[in-house]
Amino acid sequence: MNPTLPLLLGISTAVIGTLPPGLLNMTAAKVSMRDGRNRALWFAFGASVIVFFQTLLAVLFARFIDRRADISAVLQEIGFVIFSLLTIYFLWVAKKPKTNKKKEEVKMRSKTSRFFMGMLLSSLNLFPVPYYVFVSVTLGSYDYFIFDSYFIYAFSFGTAIAAFLVFFGYISFFKGKQNNASFLSKNINYIIGSITGVVALLTLFRIIFR
């Protein structure tokens, strides 16, 4: 077995799953514009740490979850509730501007707060768990995935690396678009809320017609 295979598989599958605009990468762009690039990178690092553990958990229980339709149904229901709450937050709560700028500036000085913010939002995002369950089981059926310790940890590490690189790409792209920064800063909550709303609707559709 090629020792780099699980790492490359983790990177490639994570890029596919993380590259489309989503809650985490759009929030990373938002943090970059409001708080600066360094704090956005801390956010990305915190989110990537959770991606590693989510992938690890997904792969460890991949075969078990894949064989139990009832567990998949529970995950879908939990995901629907979480994304519905996030949609309500971003569309009706977070869009309201803060009146006390001094307090906001104090919060922006803390890099560790952005790190834990990344960990929190990444923990609320349940998409990686069923995604990597599906990926690992599918690759395993073609003998590209081996459920041993090295393969599992290397694959999970690869997904974390890829997630961080995708977040870094979003941070760099939106940071360089200074002309669009004002528009995006004012409307990014609507963008994120719309994304989570679509995910919630798709999840609800799956729950109803499963």
Side-chain angles (χ1 to χ4, degrees):
M1 182 189 71
N2 187 344
T4 62
L5 177 61
L7 188 66
L8 295 176
L9 287 175
I11 292 175
S12 58
T13 55
V15 168
I16 296 173
T18 313
L19 191 59
L23 173 65
L24 294 176
N25 41 33
M26 295 302 294
T27 304
K30 176 181 177 180
V31 173
S32 177
M33 290 185 299
R34 289 188 175 182
D35 301 352
R37 183 175 179 176
N38 289 337
R39 292 172 181 82
L41 291 176
W42 276 98
F43 172 88
F45 180 60
S48 301
V49 169
I50 298 300
V51 169
F52 171 82
F53 287 106
Q54 286 177 326
T55 307
L56 184 63
L57 177 65
V59 176
L60 287 174
F61 292 97
R63 288 175 294 184
F64 175 74
I65 295 177
D66 185 61
R67 294 170 183 173
R68 294 287 301 274
D70 55 332
I71 295 179
S72 298
V74 171
L75 289 176
Q76 289 181 357
E77 293 171 0
I78 294 174
F80 168 71
V81 172
I82 290 177
F83 281 109
S84 297
L85 293 175
L86 288 173
T87 301
I88 294 172
Y89 172 77
F90 281 108
L91 291 181
W92 287 283
V93 179
K95 71 184 184 67
K96 298 179 181 179
K98 297 181 179 179
T99 56
N100 194 333
K101 295 183 179 180
K102 292 184 179 180
K103 290 184 179 180
E104 185 177 3
E105 290 175 359
V106 172
K107 291 182 180 180
M108 289 194 307
R109 294 175 185 173
S110 175
K111 294 180 180 179
T112 55
S113 66
R114 295 309 176 197
F115 174 79
F116 288 113
M117 176 185 177
M119 293 184 68
L120 175 62
L121 288 185
S122 186
S123 299
L124 293 176
N125 180 24
L126 296 181
F127 169 76
V129 176
Y131 174 70
Y132 290 116
V133 167
F134 171 78
V135 167
S136 59
V137 170
T138 302
L139 292 175
S141 65
Y142 291 99
D143 296 326
Y144 287 113
F145 199 100
I146 303 173
F147 290 92
D148 61 18
S149 297
Y150 171 76
F151 207 103
I152 291 173
Y153 279 96
F155 179 83
S156 302
F157 186 64
T159 61
I161 293 175
F164 182 83
L165 292 177
V166 170
F167 298 148
F168 178 78
Y170 270 81
I171 292 168
S172 300
F173 176 79
F174 286 107
K175 191 65 177 177
K177 303 294 182 179
Q178 296 295 334
N179 293 334
N180 298 328
S182 178
F183 172 81
L184 187 60
S185 179
K186 293 179 180 178
N187 296 277
I188 196 166
N189 286 324
Y190 291 105
I191 297 174
I192 298 175
S194 299
I195 293 170
T196 56
V198 170
V199 174
L201 290 175
L202 291 176
T203 305
L204 179 62
F205 180 82
R206 292 178 182 177
I207 293 173
I208 295 175
F209 296 99
R210 66 188 173 202

